[in-house]
mmCIF file of all heavy atoms in Angstrom:
data_model
loop_
_atom_site.group_PDB
_atom_site.id
_atom_site.type_symbol
_atom_site.label_atom_id
_atom_site.label_comp_id
_atom_site.label_asym_id
_atom_site.label_seq_id
_atom_site.Cartn_x
_atom_site.Cartn_y
_atom_site.Cartn_z
ATOM 1 N N ARG C 1 -7.721 -90.637 34.161
ATOM 2 C CA ARG C 1 -8.570 -90.320 35.322
ATOM 3 C C ARG C 1 -9.256 -88.983 35.148
ATOM 4 O O ARG C 1 -10.430 -88.771 35.519
ATOM 5 C CB ARG C 1 -7.815 -90.333 36.612
ATOM 6 C CG ARG C 1 -7.338 -91.739 37.025
ATOM 7 C CD ARG C 1 -6.751 -91.756 38.403
ATOM 8 N NE ARG C 1 -7.737 -91.465 39.473
ATOM 9 C CZ ARG C 1 -7.502 -91.547 40.772
ATOM 10 N NH1 ARG C 1 -6.290 -91.838 41.209
ATOM 11 N NH2 ARG C 1 -8.465 -91.300 41.614
ATOM 12 N N THR C 2 -8.521 -88.045 34.555
ATOM 13 C CA THR C 2 -9.157 -86.681 34.335
ATOM 14 C C THR C 2 -10.227 -86.787 33.285
ATOM 15 O O THR C 2 -11.353 -86.208 33.416
ATOM 16 C CB THR C 2 -8.046 -85.680 33.883
ATOM 17 O OG1 THR C 2 -7.066 -85.577 34.956
ATOM 18 C CG2 THR C 2 -8.630 -84.305 33.639
ATOM 19 N N VAL C 3 -9.966 -87.531 32.190
ATOM 20 C CA VAL C 3 -11.004 -87.725 31.188
ATOM 21 C C VAL C 3 -12.230 -88.381 31.770
ATOM 22 O O VAL C 3 -13.367 -88.063 31.518
ATOM 23 C CB VAL C 3 -10.428 -88.512 29.989
ATOM 24 C CG1 VAL C 3 -11.518 -88.812 28.995
ATOM 25 C CG2 VAL C 3 -9.345 -87.682 29.306
ATOM 26 N N ALA C 4 -12.029 -89.443 32.563
ATOM 27 C CA ALA C 4 -13.169 -90.108 33.170
ATOM 28 C C ALA C 4 -13.928 -89.179 34.102
ATOM 29 O O ALA C 4 -15.171 -89.336 34.176
ATOM 30 C CB ALA C 4 -12.644 -91.329 33.950
ATOM 31 N N ALA C 5 -13.226 -88.285 34.800
ATOM 32 C CA ALA C 5 -13.949 -87.356 35.655
ATOM 33 C C ALA C 5 -14.776 -86.428 34.886
ATOM 34 O O ALA C 5 -15.921 -86.058 35.270
ATOM 35 C CB ALA C 5 -12.925 -86.643 36.534
ATOM 36 N N VAL C 6 -14.253 -85.951 33.739
ATOM 37 C CA VAL C 6 -15.071 -85.029 32.931
ATOM 38 C C VAL C 6 -16.275 -85.732 32.344
ATOM 39 O O VAL C 6 -17.375 -85.230 32.423
ATOM 40 C CB VAL C 6 -14.163 -84.576 31.706
ATOM 41 C CG1 VAL C 6 -14.997 -83.835 30.674
ATOM 42 C CG2 VAL C 6 -13.063 -83.656 32.231
ATOM 43 N N ARG C 7 -16.108 -86.980 31.962
ATOM 44 C CA ARG C 7 -17.282 -87.753 31.485
ATOM 45 C C ARG C 7 -18.307 -87.967 32.566
ATOM 46 O O ARG C 7 -19.510 -87.884 32.352
ATOM 47 C CB ARG C 7 -16.802 -89.078 30.882
ATOM 48 C CG ARG C 7 -15.947 -88.921 29.644
ATOM 49 C CD ARG C 7 -15.316 -90.266 29.268
ATOM 50 N NE ARG C 7 -16.262 -91.246 28.749
ATOM 51 C CZ ARG C 7 -16.700 -91.372 27.525
ATOM 52 N NH1 ARG C 7 -16.179 -90.530 26.617
ATOM 53 N NH2 ARG C 7 -17.529 -92.246 27.172
ATOM 54 N N ALA C 8 -17.854 -88.240 33.797
ATOM 55 C CA ALA C 8 -18.780 -88.374 34.933
ATOM 56 C C ALA C 8 -19.543 -87.095 35.199
ATOM 57 O O ALA C 8 -20.740 -87.094 35.471
ATOM 58 C CB ALA C 8 -17.996 -88.801 36.192
ATOM 59 N N LEU C 9 -18.850 -85.931 35.100
ATOM 60 C CA LEU C 9 -19.500 -84.649 35.312
ATOM 61 C C LEU C 9 -20.553 -84.441 34.169
ATOM 62 O O LEU C 9 -21.623 -83.939 34.493
ATOM 63 C CB LEU C 9 -18.497 -83.568 35.332
ATOM 64 C CG LEU C 9 -19.032 -82.106 35.493
ATOM 65 C CD1 LEU C 9 -19.634 -81.960 36.948
ATOM 66 C CD2 LEU C 9 -17.990 -81.082 35.198
ATOM 67 N N GLU C 10 -20.199 -84.806 32.949
ATOM 68 C CA GLU C 10 -21.137 -84.611 31.870
ATOM 69 C C GLU C 10 -22.371 -85.447 32.086
ATOM 70 O O GLU C 10 -23.485 -84.948 31.849
ATOM 71 C CB GLU C 10 -20.467 -84.985 30.552
ATOM 72 C CG GLU C 10 -19.336 -84.002 30.118
ATOM 73 C CD GLU C 10 -18.544 -84.496 28.947
ATOM 74 O OE1 GLU C 10 -18.346 -85.766 28.885
ATOM 75 O OE2 GLU C 10 -17.993 -83.696 28.238
ATOM 76 N N ARG C 11 -22.255 -86.673 32.559
ATOM 77 C CA ARG C 11 -23.464 -87.516 32.780
ATOM 78 C C ARG C 11 -24.306 -86.859 33.877
ATOM 79 O O ARG C 11 -25.497 -86.789 33.791
ATOM 80 C CB ARG C 11 -22.998 -88.889 33.187
ATOM 81 C CG ARG C 11 -22.555 -89.758 31.996
ATOM 82 C CD ARG C 11 -22.379 -91.185 32.398
ATOM 83 N NE ARG C 11 -21.211 -91.408 33.256
ATOM 84 C CZ ARG C 11 -20.029 -91.642 32.820
ATOM 85 N NH1 ARG C 11 -19.735 -91.743 31.499
ATOM 86 N NH2 ARG C 11 -18.981 -91.817 33.700
ATOM 87 N N ARG C 12 -23.598 -86.378 34.961
ATOM 88 C CA ARG C 12 -24.309 -85.784 36.112
ATOM 89 C C ARG C 12 -25.059 -84.554 35.668
ATOM 90 O O ARG C 12 -26.160 -84.294 36.156
ATOM 91 C CB ARG C 12 -23.293 -85.444 37.165
ATOM 92 C CG ARG C 12 -23.882 -84.897 38.447
ATOM 93 C CD ARG C 12 -22.778 -84.407 39.393
ATOM 94 N NE ARG C 12 -21.931 -85.483 39.851
ATOM 95 C CZ ARG C 12 -20.918 -85.260 40.674
ATOM 96 N NH1 ARG C 12 -20.555 -84.060 41.077
ATOM 97 N NH2 ARG C 12 -20.223 -86.336 41.093
ATOM 98 N N ALA C 13 -24.501 -83.778 34.729
ATOM 99 C CA ALA C 13 -25.060 -82.456 34.348
ATOM 100 C C ALA C 13 -25.991 -82.614 33.137
ATOM 101 O O ALA C 13 -26.538 -81.573 32.679
ATOM 102 C CB ALA C 13 -23.949 -81.456 34.057
ATOM 103 N N GLY C 14 -26.195 -83.835 32.592
ATOM 104 C CA GLY C 14 -27.017 -84.011 31.455
ATOM 105 C C GLY C 14 -26.416 -83.469 30.155
ATOM 106 O O GLY C 14 -27.160 -83.095 29.224
ATOM 107 N N LEU C 15 -25.121 -83.416 30.070
ATOM 108 C CA LEU C 15 -24.405 -82.977 28.863
ATOM 109 C C LEU C 15 -24.064 -84.125 27.960
ATOM 110 O O LEU C 15 -23.982 -85.248 28.443
ATOM 111 C CB LEU C 15 -23.148 -82.192 29.252
ATOM 112 C CG LEU C 15 -23.320 -80.940 30.138
ATOM 113 C CD1 LEU C 15 -21.994 -80.473 30.644
ATOM 114 C CD2 LEU C 15 -24.046 -79.884 29.309
ATOM 115 N N PRO C 16 -23.732 -83.856 26.714
ATOM 116 C CA PRO C 16 -23.217 -84.965 25.829
ATOM 117 C C PRO C 16 -21.930 -85.518 26.417
ATOM 118 O O PRO C 16 -21.054 -84.740 26.834
ATOM 119 C CB PRO C 16 -22.960 -84.225 24.523
ATOM 120 C CG PRO C 16 -23.906 -83.078 24.549
ATOM 121 C CD PRO C 16 -23.957 -82.622 25.963
ATOM 122 N N VAL C 17 -21.839 -86.787 26.520
ATOM 123 C CA VAL C 17 -20.746 -87.417 27.185
ATOM 124 C C VAL C 17 -19.647 -87.677 26.140
ATOM 125 O O VAL C 17 -19.616 -88.726 25.494
ATOM 126 C CB VAL C 17 -21.130 -88.721 27.868
ATOM 127 C CG1 VAL C 17 -19.902 -89.350 28.545
ATOM 128 C CG2 VAL C 17 -22.220 -88.448 28.917
ATOM 129 N N ASP C 18 -18.667 -86.727 26.079
ATOM 130 C CA ASP C 18 -17.602 -86.859 25.084
ATOM 131 C C ASP C 18 -16.170 -86.685 25.777
ATOM 132 O O ASP C 18 -15.181 -86.845 25.062
ATOM 133 C CB ASP C 18 -17.757 -85.928 23.920
ATOM 134 C CG ASP C 18 -17.758 -84.438 24.329
ATOM 135 O OD1 ASP C 18 -17.573 -84.149 25.570
ATOM 136 O OD2 ASP C 18 -18.066 -83.591 23.532
ATOM 137 N N GLY C 19 -16.175 -86.386 27.032
ATOM 138 C CA GLY C 19 -14.871 -86.260 27.711
ATOM 139 C C GLY C 19 -14.185 -84.957 27.400
ATOM 140 O O GLY C 19 -13.002 -84.836 27.716
ATOM 141 N N VAL C 20 -14.791 -84.003 26.769
ATOM 142 C CA VAL C 20 -14.150 -82.776 26.318
ATOM 143 C C VAL C 20 -14.597 -81.632 27.286
ATOM 144 O O VAL C 20 -15.762 -81.429 27.493
ATOM 145 C CB VAL C 20 -14.525 -82.399 24.856
ATOM 146 C CG1 VAL C 20 -13.874 -81.045 24.507
ATOM 147 C CG2 VAL C 20 -13.989 -83.490 23.906
ATOM 148 N N ALA C 21 -13.607 -80.946 27.848
ATOM 149 C CA ALA C 21 -13.944 -79.898 28.815
ATOM 150 C C ALA C 21 -14.271 -78.573 28.040
ATOM 151 O O ALA C 21 -13.534 -77.613 28.032
ATOM 152 C CB ALA C 21 -12.761 -79.689 29.778
ATOM 153 N N GLY C 22 -15.419 -78.565 27.459
ATOM 154 C CA GLY C 22 -15.821 -77.409 26.690
ATOM 155 C C GLY C 22 -16.641 -76.484 27.599
ATOM 156 O O GLY C 22 -16.651 -76.530 28.806
ATOM 157 N N ALA C 23 -17.436 -75.556 26.874
ATOM 158 C CA ALA C 23 -18.126 -74.535 27.659
ATOM 159 C C ALA C 23 -19.161 -75.117 28.633
ATOM 160 O O ALA C 23 -19.351 -74.601 29.665
ATOM 161 C CB ALA C 23 -18.815 -73.579 26.607
ATOM 162 N N GLY C 24 -19.846 -76.164 28.145
ATOM 163 C CA GLY C 24 -20.884 -76.738 29.072
ATOM 164 C C GLY C 24 -20.275 -77.324 30.336
ATOM 165 O O GLY C 24 -20.829 -77.165 31.407
ATOM 166 N N VAL C 25 -19.158 -77.952 30.214
ATOM 167 C CA VAL C 25 -18.423 -78.503 31.358
ATOM 168 C C VAL C 25 -17.982 -77.372 32.268
ATOM 169 O O VAL C 25 -18.092 -77.422 33.514
ATOM 170 C CB VAL C 25 -17.227 -79.393 30.930
ATOM 171 C CG1 VAL C 25 -16.357 -79.681 32.110
ATOM 172 C CG2 VAL C 25 -17.739 -80.648 30.315
ATOM 173 N N ARG C 26 -17.472 -76.322 31.647
ATOM 174 C CA ARG C 26 -16.994 -75.166 32.443
ATOM 175 C C ARG C 26 -18.156 -74.557 33.283
ATOM 176 O O ARG C 26 -18.057 -74.188 34.408
ATOM 177 C CB ARG C 26 -16.346 -74.136 31.573
ATOM 178 C CG ARG C 26 -15.037 -74.581 30.928
ATOM 179 C CD ARG C 26 -13.906 -74.606 31.906
ATOM 180 N NE ARG C 26 -13.443 -73.296 32.263
ATOM 181 C CZ ARG C 26 -12.528 -72.591 31.524
ATOM 182 N NH1 ARG C 26 -11.987 -73.090 30.453
ATOM 183 N NH2 ARG C 26 -12.187 -71.355 31.960
ATOM 184 N N ARG C 27 -19.369 -74.487 32.630
ATOM 185 C CA ARG C 27 -20.481 -73.941 33.366
ATOM 186 C C ARG C 27 -20.853 -74.845 34.511
ATOM 187 O O ARG C 27 -21.255 -74.423 35.584
ATOM 188 C CB ARG C 27 -21.662 -73.692 32.402
ATOM 189 C CG ARG C 27 -21.520 -72.493 31.474
ATOM 190 C CD ARG C 27 -22.871 -72.155 30.787
ATOM 191 N NE ARG C 27 -23.290 -73.223 29.924
ATOM 192 C CZ ARG C 27 -22.895 -73.298 28.659
ATOM 193 N NH1 ARG C 27 -22.125 -72.399 28.096
ATOM 194 N NH2 ARG C 27 -23.408 -74.358 27.883
ATOM 195 N N ALA C 28 -20.854 -76.172 34.257
ATOM 196 C CA ALA C 28 -21.263 -77.145 35.236
ATOM 197 C C ALA C 28 -20.296 -77.116 36.437
ATOM 198 O O ALA C 28 -20.690 -77.514 37.561
ATOM 199 C CB ALA C 28 -21.307 -78.521 34.627
ATOM 200 N N LEU C 29 -19.093 -76.637 36.275
ATOM 201 C CA LEU C 29 -18.112 -76.603 37.341
ATOM 202 C C LEU C 29 -18.315 -75.399 38.261
ATOM 203 O O LEU C 29 -17.681 -75.339 39.309
ATOM 204 C CB LEU C 29 -16.675 -76.587 36.744
ATOM 205 C CG LEU C 29 -16.157 -77.851 36.143
ATOM 206 C CD1 LEU C 29 -14.888 -77.615 35.362
ATOM 207 C CD2 LEU C 29 -16.028 -78.947 37.177
ATOM 208 N N GLY C 30 -19.221 -74.526 37.912
ATOM 209 C CA GLY C 30 -19.529 -73.389 38.785
ATOM 210 C C GLY C 30 -18.409 -72.370 38.809
ATOM 211 O O GLY C 30 -17.714 -72.149 37.842
ATOM 212 N N ARG C 31 -18.214 -71.722 39.962
ATOM 213 C CA ARG C 31 -17.280 -70.657 40.059
ATOM 214 C C ARG C 31 -15.836 -71.100 39.914
ATOM 215 O O ARG C 31 -14.931 -70.273 39.561
ATOM 216 C CB ARG C 31 -17.430 -69.876 41.363
ATOM 217 C CG ARG C 31 -17.209 -70.648 42.659
ATOM 218 C CD ARG C 31 -17.378 -69.680 43.831
ATOM 219 N NE ARG C 31 -17.061 -70.362 45.091
ATOM 220 C CZ ARG C 31 -16.955 -69.648 46.197
ATOM 221 N NH1 ARG C 31 -17.113 -68.322 46.196
ATOM 222 N NH2 ARG C 31 -16.664 -70.271 47.338
ATOM 223 N N LEU C 32 -15.548 -72.400 40.109
ATOM 224 C CA LEU C 32 -14.151 -72.908 39.837
ATOM 225 C C LEU C 32 -13.965 -73.187 38.332
ATOM 226 O O LEU C 32 -12.852 -73.554 37.972
ATOM 227 C CB LEU C 32 -13.886 -74.122 40.642
ATOM 228 C CG LEU C 32 -13.604 -73.928 42.163
ATOM 229 C CD1 LEU C 32 -13.344 -75.221 42.897
ATOM 230 C CD2 LEU C 32 -12.463 -72.990 42.371
#
């Protein structure tokens, strides 16, 4: 479920969809 949520965020943010919580995902998460 966590991996699926990361992938959903990547799609929403226009990032490569690989399920990896890298720097782009961290930026897309904002202050959290």
